Amino acid sequence: MAQPSKTPCNAERPGAGKAIAVLTSGGDAQGMNAAVRAVVRVGISLGAKVYFVHEGYQGLVDGGENIKEASWECVSMMLQLGGTVIGSARCQDFRTREGRLKAARNLVKRGITNLCVIGGDGSLTGADTFRAEWSSLLAELLKTGGVTAEEAKSSSHLNIVGMVGSIDNDFCGTDMTIGTDSALHRIMEIVDAITTTAQSHQRTFVLEVMGRHCGYLALVTSLACGADWVFIPESPPEDDWEDHLCRRLTETRLGGSRLNIIIVAEGAIDRHGKAITADDIKNLVVKRLGYDTRVTILGHVQRGGTPSAFDRILGSRMGVEAVMALLEGTPDTPACVVSLSGNQAVRLPLMECVQVTKDVTTAMNEGRFDDALKLRGRSFQNNWNVYKLLAHIRPPPTKSGYTLAVMNVGAPAAGMNAAVRSTVRIGLIHGHRMLAVHDGFEGLALGMVEEISWDEVGGWTGLGGSKLGTKRTLPKKYFDEISATINSFSIHGLIIIGGFEAFMGSLELMEGRAKYEELCIPLCIIPATVSNNVPGSDFSIGADTALNTITTTCDRIKQSAAGTKRRVFIIETMGGYCGYLATMAGLAGGADAAYIFEEHFSIRDLQMNVEHLTAKMKTTVKRGLVLRNEHCNENYTTDFIYNLYSEEGKGIFDCRKNVLGHMQQGGTPTPFDRNFGTKMGAKCVAWITGKIKECSRHGRIFANTADSACLLGMRKRSLVFQPLTELKEQTDFVHRIPKEQWWLKLRPILKILAKYSIELDTSEKAHLEHVTRKRVSLEAHI
């Protein structure tokens, strides 16, 4: 970790003399504790006093012991806890002016003029009402002697910033709300478990998931598990849905499937607004088809358990942004909500978001379901369109005449199989002949190619590793053999799912086009590697699963250290020269330091980190966690750092080391990796189909332009196709990493939350945007 700058004196710190209160309200959601922890620690580091408000708005109204000043140490070990440690409660009192008067007095008496509310749209609407009334509440309190003139003057305005904590993901303006990803983890664990028993007994399972009036959880679950049918409130089925559903289930059984999975959102309705329940669906299937059918209602298990790595990082990032927004707030600044767009933190006017969220409900109540889907945003629509393609459309009888081949290259990554399944099925829907290439470029050279059908990829979404087999071999030495294979199988387009080797191998294929005409076919890369080091994409398939594996391991290690005081763990993560896993796992696991190649460190930095841990051992938090990327420094190895810490910590703390190794590449893919792989596969096939048609001349394909070989990547807020030749300039080939990496800007957050005195990089400040304007531009883009 780089040397932190000197602590600015208290007077210079933006939070000096200010007080912030943080509360969680409404339903609990995993990741709320990460947000609370970030607000407390960033607030304190910037010189502010931070207060917990226990039991949500009820605590704000009741005051007393419910409003307590928070310390740095009191939020330790909160990251991995589900729910909300400071409590949440539904509060009728705050809905009344009398209740809000009491709440205002409790804040004024403590000098608190900044309020951070973590909750759903109801909680955030309440906060906005409170702010709008603040002046009149102060005037009334002053008049009745509830506060002094001096207190009223020093608390003349109230700043409000919201964070959306809700497993439903039903708040417009943010791609993901805190808790949604963790809820998906819980759901997928259960779906995977149910799938095995359903296959054993040839059963149909109807699973009801939460979401009130929002079908996000149901929709993403269906994409991630390849469900036969999903019922969501935003897009009710057509009136003859019963016939269609029974026909679908019969088709899948005749195709060799031993099970059926139907997902139903708890708020599912038909076109006339009548509820569709899990029992209704079960009764239909039993009566019409006679299938052994079971109903599972997941209920509150979806809210419980440990938060996922994504939710911890999201909560931490939003917490930091919320404090910055509060401290920068003025009487003229509207109450805002900090949210996520792509991988960017954004600030949006709170009431604009609330209004659009209400507009969705209005559209559904009025039967304007197309409008409801649009109002949910581009991400929701994309999910729905891909689901409809995969679940409701079958391969056409007429064929396109084109042949696409799909392959895996590089190390295995969880989610590769989901991408292959999507690619194969979408390709078949386009009328193409689909080929599977085994063992990467080597397999292509050896002719290890076979036609692959719709049913063969049926249960692939939840499988880890690579069913096709994958190798790191590059193609250059096999050009003769590869050209012969392409020619003999009449391959018109190539989809390569893999890591840095997929990128380098594809560049080699492009070079070979000058000599080998057979290589002049469109090709597209879908990045898939745990290292997340492929240029042109902020995320790679498999990195989220690896990150969750590391985070879970860190939790267990920290838990073991809680019983043995004064112990420091040194953990080595994968990633090659890319420090993504070490950095993000450090954020998600609450690490004290994370050493990476991209951020140079010296022996002085190591010594400073040891001194930092020594000081920590004198507090109530007597444990430490240090992460090291496997190639962060050729001399400061894991053994060297372990020995250094052991020697310097003698008599103060002892050390243990853990090299995580290949367990990071294994495991069942997370919902994110399944969904990401599925959407990438669908988008890739659509692009390559268009490119083949564009490059077709008299029945032959000739693709030799730069834009006929692309990588599909997530860039900030959207999926984009980028020519490989352009990405060459953005790549450090020696160390196999992109020259610029977005997540490096999150490194200061990791250090501040570990109590290092450094300045926050605010060069990419989240400015206030407008939901309505954003909506119009997104709709135009669609």
Side-chain angles (χ1 to χ4, degrees):
M1 304 232 339
Q3 178 112 9
S5 60
K6 291 177 183 174
T7 312
C9 68
N10 199 54
E12 294 173 358
R13 293 198 284 180
K18 295 182 179 180
I20 299 168
V22 58
L23 65 87
T24 53
S25 176
D28 63 301
Q30 311 97 316
M32 278 183 166
N33 291 324
V36 169
R37 172 180 176 267
V39 170
V40 169
R41 290 196 166 177
V42 174
I44 291 172
S45 73
L46 295 176
K49 281 187 175 182
V50 185
Y51 290 85
F52 285 146
V53 180
H54 292 274
E55 312 307 332
Y57 283 120
Q58 194 64 56
L60 205 61
V61 173
D62 295 343
E65 285 296 297
N66 288 302
I67 305 176
K68 288 182 184 173
E69 188 172 351
S71 68
W72 189 277
E73 291 162 36
C74 74
V75 293
S76 181
M77 291 298 278
M78 275 175 67
L79 263 177
Q80 64 267 42
L81 300 177
T84 165
V85 168
I86 59 175
S88 180
R90 309 284 180 188
C91 177
Q92 291 302 320
D93 292 344
F94 193 75
R95 293 175 184 270
T96 67
R97 183 171 174 85
E98 186 184 349
R100 292 193 291 274
L101 266 173
K102 289 178 183 175
R105 184 176 183 276
N106 288 328
L107 291 181
V108 172
K109 287 294 180 185
R110 291 167 176 80
I112 300 168
T113 55
N114 298 284
L115 186 61
C116 177
V117 177
I118 308 168
D121 56 345
S123 305
L124 299 179
T125 303
D128 191 69
T129 303
F130 192 38
R131 184 180 194 260
E133 289 181 350
W134 186 255
S135 297
S136 67
L137 292 171
L138 278 190
E140 192 172 331
L141 286 169
L142 187 60
K143 188 177 177 183
T144 58
V147 298
T148 66
E150 192 178 332
E151 286 170 337
K153 186 181 177 184
S154 62
S155 304
S156 58
H157 75 277
L158 178 70
N159 288 321
I160 296 276
V161 170
M163 283 182 268
V164 192
S166 165
I167 68 164
D168 302 339
N169 205 32
D170 59 351
F171 193 82
C172 294
T174 184
D175 288 350
M176 288 286 270
T177 56
I178 296 168
T180 303
D181 187 65
S182 300
L184 286 169
H185 275 251
R186 295 297 89 74
I187 296 167
M188 287 314 306
E189 286 164 15
I190 293 160
V191 172
D192 287 346
I194 278 175
T195 299
T196 57
T197 184
Q199 280 178 326
S200 303
H201 297 276
Q202 295 196 59
R203 279 185 179 144
T204 296
F205 267 90
V206 183
L207 284 90
E208 183 190 289
V209 300
M210 276 185 168
R212 281 189 304 177
H213 306 299
C214 179
Y216 184 87
L217 290 178
L219 177 54
V220 174
T221 299
S222 301
L223 268 178
C225 75
D228 295 287
W229 198 283
V230 65
F231 292 90
I232 61 170
E234 292 87 349
S235 186
E238 298 299 330
D239 287 343
D240 62 347
W241 66 267
E242 294 93 342
D243 297 335
H244 193 173
L245 172 62
C246 291
R247 197 163 54 245
R248 162 67 41 72
L249 300 183
T250 306
E251 276 176 19
T252 54
R253 289 291 175 98
L254 290 173
S257 175
R258 292 177 58 85
L259 80 157
N260 298 112
I261 300 288
I262 300 165
I263 309 292
V264 54
E266 62 182 347
I269 52 173
D270 65 16
R271 289 268 155 188
H272 311 289
K274 181 176 176 285
I276 298 175
T277 68
D279 283 330
D280 292 339
I281 299 161
K282 175 194 169 180
N283 294 335
L284 171 73
V285 175
V286 171
K287 186 180 174 183
R288 293 263 195 106
L289 303 175
Y291 291 170
D292 185 1
T293 307
R294 298 285 191 275
V295 169
T296 301
I297 296 173
L298 302 191
H300 280 72
V301 70
Q302 295 159 87
R303 285 194 190 281
T306 302
S308 66
F310 179 91
D311 273 328
R312 300 181 198 197
I313 294 164
L314 176 63
S316 300
R317 289 180 69 185
M318 298 301 99
V320 172
E321 192 59 47
V323 172
M324 301 306 291
L326 282 171
L327 297 182
E328 291 164 13
T330 67
D332 302 320
T333 310
C336 77
V337 59
V338 293
S339 63
L340 188 74
S341 181
N343 67 1
Q344 304 290 296
V346 294
R347 298 179 193 173
L348 301 166
L350 192 154
M351 289 317 292
E352 278 189 25
C353 295
V354 169
Q355 187 55 53
V356 178
T357 304
K358 287 178 177 174
D359 290 347
V360 178
T361 308
T362 303
M364 287 194 288
N365 290 340
E366 294 174 359
R368 295 183 289 108
F369 298 110
D370 287 345
D371 289 344
L373 277 171
K374 281 181 186 172
L375 289 164
R376 281 281 182 231
R378 183 171 56 165
S379 175
F380 193 99
Q381 283 186 93
N382 286 344
N383 284 330
W384 181 241
N385 290 335
V386 173
Y387 164 76
K388 282 195 300 182
L389 269 178
L390 288 168
H392 290 261
I393 297 173
R394 284 292 180 266
T398 52
K399 302 300 178 187
S400 67
Y402 300 129
T403 298
L404 297 187
V406 59
M407 63 198 292
N408 295 157
V409 174
M416 275 182 163
N417 294 323
V420 171
R421 171 187 175 270
S422 173
T423 300
V424 168
R425 288 196 166 180
I426 298 292
L428 292 170
I429 287 166
H430 277 278
H432 306 325
R433 174 170 163 254
M434 296 303 296
L435 302 178
V437 180
H438 297 275
D439 293 347
F441 289 119
E442 193 175 310
L444 187 63
L446 297 172
M448 295 168 66
V449 181
E450 62 179 355
E451 192 164 345
I452 190 163
S453 70
W454 182 280
D455 293 323
E456 281 177 275
V457 293
W460 283 25
T461 47
L463 300 177
S466 165
K467 288 278 284 180
L468 295 183
T470 180
K471 288 194 174 180
R472 296 177 183 270
T473 316
L474 294 176
K476 203 166 195 174
K477 59 183 178 183
Y478 296 116
F479 277 169
D480 286 336
E481 295 87 343
I482 287 172
S483 298
T485 301
I486 289 173
N487 188 42
S488 64
F489 283 93
S490 301
I491 296 170
H492 301 111
L494 195 55
I495 294 171
I496 304 168
I497 302 164
F500 203 84
E501 290 86 358
F503 174 61
M504 289 181 67
S506 299
L507 284 171
E508 287 186 4
L509 289 179
M510 284 190 75
E511 287 172 24
R513 284 174 168 180
K515 188 177 177 185
Y516 297 88
E517 194 175 308
E518 291 85 355
L519 300 181
C520 297
I521 56 173
L523 63 93
C524 186
I525 300 171
I526 296 175
T529 167
V530 301
S531 303
N532 200 35
N533 64 331
V534 180
S537 190
D538 294 344
F539 298 103
S540 296
I541 296 165
D544 186 67
T545 304
L547 180 57
N548 276 280
T549 300
I550 299 166
T551 303
T552 303
T553 307
C554 288
D555 286 351
R556 289 173 182 168
I557 284 170
K558 281 172 73 179
Q559 193 175 44
S560 77
T564 310
K565 304 297 183 189
R566 295 196 291 273
R567 178 164 286 174
V568 175
F569 283 89
I570 318 291
I571 298 175
E572 182 187 296
T573 67
M574 269 185 172
Y577 285 95
C578 179
Y580 175 83
L581 287 178
T583 297
M584 298 309 247
L587 259 176
D592 295 280
Y595 301 115
I596 62 169
F597 168 77
E598 293 92 340
E599 193 173 89
H600 177 73
F601 61 97
S602 66
I603 194 70
R604 285 184 297 279
D605 297 313
L606 291 168
Q607 179 63 35
M608 187 188 63
N609 295 149
V610 172
E611 289 167 4
H612 179 82
L613 281 166
T614 302
K616 186 179 178 182
M617 296 301 161
K618 293 173 184 172
T619 70
T620 57
V621 187
K622 301 181 189 302
R623 68 191 163 276
L625 183 67
V626 174
L627 299 180
R628 179 191 175 274
N629 166 253
E630 60 184 346
H631 291 322
C632 65
N633 189 295
E634 62 181 335
N635 295 313
Y636 300 143
T637 62
T638 301
D639 285 337
F640 177 92
I641 292 174
Y642 166 73
N643 291 332
L644 175 74
Y645 273 63
S646 297
E647 181 62 32
E648 295 294 317
K650 270 184 183 172
I652 304 160
F653 58 81
D654 65 351
C655 286
R656 295 288 187 275
K657 65 177 174 181
N658 197 321
V659 177
L660 301 186
H662 281 73
M663 67 179 283
Q664 296 160 85
Q665 283 183 349
T668 305
T670 59
F672 177 89
D673 280 330
R674 299 182 198 203
N675 192 20
F676 193 42
T678 300
K679 286 201 284 191
M680 295 275 268
K683 200 168 180 71
C684 183
V685 172
W687 176 84
I688 211 162
T689 301
K691 197 57 69 175
I692 288 171
K693 289 175 181 173
E694 192 182 299
C695 300
S696 182
R697 297 285 183 278
H698 310 296
R700 295 186 66 228
I701 312 298
F702 187 79
N704 203 20
T705 55
D707 66 353
S708 64
C710 284
L711 181 139
L712 173 59
M714 166 70 85
R715 279 291 176 96
K716 290 190 175 177
R717 300 188 187 184
S718 53
L719 289 170
V720 289
F721 291 94
Q722 302 141 99
L724 300 183
T725 47
E726 288 179 16
L727 295 177
K728 276 175 78 172
E729 306 303 315
Q730 303 169 25
T731 307
D732 173 354
F733 282 96
V734 175
H735 299 105
R736 297 160 58 94
I737 54 174
K739 289 178 181 175
E740 287 189 20
Q741 301 183 89
W742 68 273
W743 51 266
L744 285 168
K745 286 192 165 61
L746 303 184
R747 298 270 305 167
I749 297 175
L750 192 157
K751 295 172 192 175
I752 282 177
L753 295 177
K755 212 175 183 178
Y756 285 86
S757 302
I758 70 155
E759 297 279 354
L760 259 179
D761 177 12
T762 53
S763 58
E764 272 201 10
K765 196 178 287 182
H767 297 290
L768 196 68
E769 299 184 5
H770 290 279
V771 188
T772 44
R773 197 178 305 152
K774 197 170 121 189
R775 266 173 47 218
V776 170
S777 65
L778 285 182
E779 285 170 25
H781 182 74
I782 292 161

